[in-house]
Amino acid sequence: MENELKFAVLIDADNISDKYIKIILEETANSGIATYKRIYGDWTSPQLASWKAVLLDNSIIPMQQYSYTTGKNATDSAMIIDAMDILYSKTVDGFCLASSDSDFTRLAARLREAGMQVIGMGESKTPQPFISACNQFKYLDLLYEKKQEEMEVPAPQTKKRREKNKPQKELEKTKKTIDTIIEKFSDEDGWIFSGKLGDQLSKRLPDFDVRNFGFTKLTPFMKSLGCYEINKVSDGNDQKQIYFRVKEGKTK
């Protein structure tokens, strides 16, 4: 569609596995259209051999960057230069930066300063500064694990394994953020619209995604926390507007 955002998908082959490619493209498609699909690395290296078939299947352009000096990451520099060239071409609305490398933190910040929508994608080991520099951040290893479970594990077992993906401290951080948002944006009765909560969560926690905790929707995730009331209100058009508030007696 004409009003869909256009994204440049730039992948750091040095620290992103080819098994994540479908997730990278699917997550980008959820936000817009991938008009650039480029991957950076030294394609003379046998370490990148597994990527070669994937590139053809997904129409991704390999960008050759020789490792001129041991210990220096030439791939990062090539990817950063290309990103800036694309930015100045004014042909995209955003970037998907697929890497677990903190070296792209300044790039993500610079692209956001220019008004670009920046989606970061990497593994759980990605340093927090890079995550925070993005508008959104997707954990590829968690999304991959969830997809594998859906394919291989019967539904009852999958349900039992929920919330094991993200550590407890991440869940507690999310709860505190939810409470802060509700306190700030709720009405006089303490209710907040689900859309408002989701929007504020993504702004405050770039890496927030209910799928990280084993869910596909915000409402089941909120219910699982056991701290919030849920109210579904009909809008008169056979649609339900969902609201949340902190349960009485629950400490914020």
Side-chain angles (χ1 to χ4, degrees):
M1 295 179 66
E2 291 185 3
N3 60 348
E4 281 193 292
L5 297 179
K6 297 180 177 66
F7 281 86
V9 179
L10 309 182
I11 304 169
D12 176 8
D14 287 344
N15 61 46
I16 291 292
S17 169
D18 61 287
K19 70 181 181 181
Y20 296 137
I21 188 59
K22 291 296 184 185
I23 295 174
I24 291 171
L25 297 180
E26 287 172 3
E27 291 299 314
T28 303
N30 289 339
S31 299
I33 302 171
T35 55
Y36 290 82
K37 290 187 287 185
R38 297 179 179 179
I39 185 166
Y40 301 80
D42 182 358
W43 300 102
T44 64
S45 170
Q47 295 178 340
L48 300 184
S50 62
W51 267 107
K52 293 182 179 178
V54 175
L55 304 186
L56 293 173
D57 292 342
N58 295 279
S59 188
I60 301 172
I61 298 174
M63 308 299 287
Q64 173 62 32
Q65 182 60 47
Y66 293 101
S67 299
Y68 297 109
T69 306
T70 303
K72 299 293 184 181
N73 198 336
T75 297
D76 290 4
S77 299
M79 187 165 151
I80 291 168
I81 292 170
D82 235 15
M84 296 308 295
D85 285 344
I86 294 171
L87 171 66
Y88 293 135
S89 74
K90 299 182 179 180
T91 55
V92 298
D93 305 295
F95 287 78
C96 168
L97 304 178
S99 179
S100 301
D101 193 337
S102 62
D103 287 350
F104 294 106
T105 300
R106 184 66 188 99
L107 173 62
R110 176 64 182 85
L111 294 174
R112 287 188 66 182
E113 288 172 359
M116 294 288 106
Q117 181 77 11
V118 180
I119 302 173
M121 297 187 193
E123 294 186 326
S124 299
K125 65 183 180 182
T126 305
Q128 187 62 43
F130 179 39
I131 294 171
S132 299
C134 301
N135 294 97
Q136 301 176 49
F137 193 88
K138 310 291 183 180
Y139 291 112
L140 295 173
D141 49 341
L142 301 188
L143 295 177
Y144 180 81
E145 180 182 336
K146 183 176 184 298
K147 189 177 285 289
Q148 293 300 109
E149 288 182 352
E150 290 173 348
M151 293 171 58
E152 300 172 6
V153 183
Q157 295 182 42
T158 302
K159 189 173 182 180
K160 290 178 182 178
R161 294 174 69 177
R162 282 179 171 173
E163 291 193 26
K164 80 176 182 69
N165 295 332
K166 295 289 284 179
Q168 186 64 26
K169 67 177 182 179
E170 292 295 324
L171 192 59
E172 291 302 319
K173 181 176 75 171
T174 302
K175 285 181 182 178
K176 288 181 180 179
T177 304
I178 290 172
D179 289 340
T180 298
I181 294 170
I182 291 177
E183 184 174 3
K184 183 174 179 61
F185 293 100
S186 61
D187 62 21
E188 58 185 16
D189 294 319
W191 293 102
I192 186 172
F193 177 52
S194 59
K196 183 69 173 179
L197 176 61
D199 179 61
Q200 286 296 317
L201 274 171
S202 66
K203 289 179 179 178
R204 294 162 186 256
L205 300 174
D207 58 340
F208 174 75
D209 190 324
V210 294
R211 293 173 297 177
N212 295 339
F213 301 98
F215 296 88
T216 57
K217 301 289 184 181
L218 180 61
T219 300
F221 169 69
M222 293 290 288
K223 185 177 180 180
S224 75
L225 298 177
C227 305
Y228 307 99
E229 294 181 49
I230 301 171
N231 187 26
K232 298 180 180 181
V233 180
S234 175
D235 64 0
N237 296 312
D238 296 325
Q239 298 292 326
K240 295 289 187 180
Q241 301 289 339
I242 301 174
Y243 295 82
F244 305 110
R245 75 175 176 187
V246 178
K247 285 184 178 179
E248 286 188 29
K250 294 294 182 179
T251 303
K252 293 188 177 182

